[in-house]
Amino acid sequence: MEQVKCFMPQTLEEALEIRKNYHAVILAGGSDLMVSKSMGAGITPAFDSPVMIITGVKELKGIRKNDDGSVEIGALTTSAEISASDLVHPLLKDAASRMGAIALRNSATIGGNIGNASPKGDMPQPLILLDAKVVLKSQEAERILPVDEFILGSKKTALADDEIITKVILPPQNFTHIFFRKIGMRRANAISKLTLSAAATVQDGVVVDFRASSGAAGPKVARSRKAEEILIGKKLSELPQVKEEFLDAWNGVISPHAMPEYRRNTTRRMLAYFIDALASGHPEGRVE
């Protein structure tokens, strides 16, 4: 049986040294990597480089709120911990709470979900809507990138071969209305066929902020700030007149590959539903 060199650092400093010297593959919960690298029962997974299991690095765990209202989520924080935290924005809690089975939610981490960069990953979708940032650290420096810039495409990120994702930062957000949907083949344990988050802030009958993001609709999470601008600044009474323009602009965001009409039509219906709810004066809070 082929052997895989494996490291198990206990501190971030040790992990960064291993990452620099060996460019080891980072393994946290393993809910994605162990599946993608599987060679079958009883056979060593097909890792072609050393593996670094970082579950013992305590510096990468936990959820904290900063004085400026932002929230820091350690890269090793599991989806179960995120879904149970009162500090985390409800849209991210929604996504985390719908990730597969309970066992998976207790092992899958936010750092792994971002770093895997799967188009069907659950947490990048609301993170991009929330303008979240990811912190990348090497022995020499630290970088902070928007999640939308960190994920370059399907399974592609801006992570350097000597860097580790250490945490995610959520800026403070105070939307008046939020909306979340996940569509799968069944209610539980399902890989996303399509996910959508939308959020708006309405003040004195005017939309002062509007955002939408869609997952599993292309090589990475789809968000169009240009389309969002069509609705921002409009009175609620004007939304019916600009709704079709907004929805047409969103069509260009959805990938032309893999069930394009289904994804376009379904996304269009969900966005129209949220906009109609705003136009009708829906009470502040969650739009169901």
Side-chain angles (χ1 to χ4, degrees), residues 7-288:
F7 298 94
M8 296 185 68
Q10 298 300 303
T11 67
L12 180 57
E13 181 180 3
E14 185 183 357
L16 292 173
E17 182 177 0
I18 294 168
R19 182 77 167 139
K20 179 180 179 179
N21 292 334
Y22 296 94
H23 306 312
V25 175
I26 303 168
L27 185 66
S31 55
D32 283 314
L33 273 179
M34 292 302 288
V35 173
S36 65
K37 300 295 184 180
S38 175
M39 298 295 288
I43 303 175
T44 303
F47 288 100
D48 54 8
S49 59
V51 173
M52 179 170 64
I53 301 173
I54 60 171
T55 51
V57 181
K58 294 181 179 179
E59 297 116 298
L60 302 181
K61 300 180 180 181
I63 303 173
R64 298 164 291 277
K65 188 170 184 178
N66 298 320
D67 292 340
D68 63 359
S70 64
V71 173
E72 294 184 359
I73 305 174
L76 287 180
T77 306
T78 67
S79 59
E81 291 167 334
I82 290 169
S83 64
S85 174
D86 292 333
L87 299 179
V88 175
H89 193 279
L91 288 176
L92 182 56
K93 286 165 64 77
D94 284 342
S97 68
R98 288 165 171 78
M99 280 183 64
I102 293 174
L104 184 144
R105 295 197 291 273
N106 281 311
S107 61
T109 65
I110 189 169
N113 206 233
I114 295 170
N116 190 49
S118 168
K120 297 183 179 181
D122 289 274
M123 287 193 274
Q125 185 260 324
L127 287 173
I128 286 176
L129 178 142
L130 295 168
D131 288 336
K133 296 180 180 179
V134 61
V135 179
L136 314 172
K137 191 171 181 62
S138 67
Q139 277 196 316
E140 284 74 31
E142 182 176 273
R143 295 194 294 154
I144 301 177
L145 289 178
V147 174
D148 201 8
E149 295 179 14
F150 173 74
I151 297 176
L152 304 176
S154 178
K155 303 290 184 176
K156 297 178 182 179
T157 73
L159 187 71
D161 59 11
D162 64 342
E163 290 180 323
I164 292 174
I165 298 173
T166 59
K167 58 188 172 183
V168 175
I169 302 174
L170 299 178
Q173 305 286 2
N174 294 295
F175 303 114
T176 58
H177 300 78
I178 60 171
F179 175 88
F180 177 84
R181 289 287 188 276
K182 175 176 177 174
I183 298 174
M185 294 300 291
R186 53 193 182 276
R187 186 172 180 82
N189 301 357
I191 296 175
S192 300
K193 290 182 69 175
L194 187 67
T195 59
L196 180 80
S197 290
T201 302
V202 178
Q203 294 178 359
D204 299 323
V206 176
V207 178
V208 298
D209 193 4
F210 186 95
R211 306 181 193 183
S213 62
S214 181
K220 61 175 286 186
V221 172
R223 181 181 174 190
S224 173
R225 289 165 176 79
K226 185 175 181 180
E228 293 168 1
E229 290 173 359
I230 295 171
L231 302 183
I232 295 173
K234 298 296 189 297
K235 297 178 181 179
L236 294 181
S237 59
E238 296 175 316
L239 293 184
Q241 285 74 48
V242 297
K243 180 176 70 173
E244 292 303 316
E245 180 185 357
F246 169 81
L247 295 175
D248 289 343
W250 246 89
N251 274 344
V253 180
I254 306 300
S255 170
H257 308 293
M259 300 170 65
E261 293 309 311
Y262 167 78
R263 288 192 167 92
R264 281 195 175 87
N265 293 337
T266 305
T267 301
R268 191 181 187 96
R269 287 195 299 270
M270 290 190 289
L271 286 170
Y273 179 82
F274 182 63
I275 294 169
D276 289 343
L278 295 177
S280 67
H282 192 285
E284 292 188 4
R286 187 182 296 275
V287 175
E288 297 291 355

